[in-house]
Amino acid sequence: MTPPAISPSRSPLTLPQAVALSLLRDGYTAHRIKRRTGTDTPLLYTLAAQHGIQAPHGTLEGGALHDARGEERCEPCEKVAARQQAREYARHRTTLASLPPGRRRSLTRRRIGAVR
Ligand SMILES: [Zn+2]
């Protein structure tokens, strides 16, 4: 049996959302798409997954779309996501290291306390 062409779970698109999806497919970043169309990033990925739109592989947006569809990321998307995670981790470490020692200790202590 063939699935209906328009599945009932698909929500109709507004014009800005349709533009947002075509920009996503063309490789624009989620940040730029939000600035241009006002479409929030989580909604953008949900709509793209519903409407079968794929962002270019090997981009953060491509990886986020694999996640939105609940599938495993392809290799290029996984690499980009890992690189981004490493960058964020490095930025976090730099932030901690730039604090004066007393402040750093109190932050560390608080985090240990929260775990308990
Ligand atoms: Zn991919």
Side-chain angles (χ1 to χ4, degrees):
M1 214 169 82
T2 47
I6 297 169
S7 89
S9 65
R10 274 191 188 190
S11 34
L13 293 174
T14 65
L15 183 60
Q17 287 170 346
V19 172
L21 289 183
S22 71
L23 291 177
L24 182 68
R25 195 187 44 216
D26 291 347
Y28 282 77
T29 63
H31 179 71
R32 282 183 73 185
I33 293 170
K34 188 181 174 181
R35 232 179 27 211
R36 282 192 169 199
T37 67
T39 307
D40 274 329
T41 305
L43 176 65
L44 176 68
Y45 293 140
T46 305
L47 291 173
Q50 282 175 352
H51 293 266
I53 301 294
Q54 176 61 54
H57 292 282
T59 61
L60 284 175
E61 287 71 21
L65 268 174
H66 287 299
D67 296 347
R69 285 194 299 261
E71 62 190 28
E72 232 173 274
R73 293 180 194 142
C74 68
E75 206 181 307
C77 289
E78 182 57 47
K79 270 187 194 165
V80 169
R83 217 177 299 144
Q84 173 71 8
Q85 207 171 13
R87 216 175 291 141
E88 275 168 23
Y89 182 66
R91 198 179 310 140
H92 178 71
R93 283 182 48 156
T94 311
T95 311
L96 272 185
S98 66
L99 292 172
R103 178 88 180 112
R104 206 181 314 162
R105 252 198 312 276
S106 73
L107 274 179
T108 313
R109 207 177 300 137
R110 196 176 309 142
R111 201 181 317 135
I112 291 168
V115 168
R116 266 186 221 143

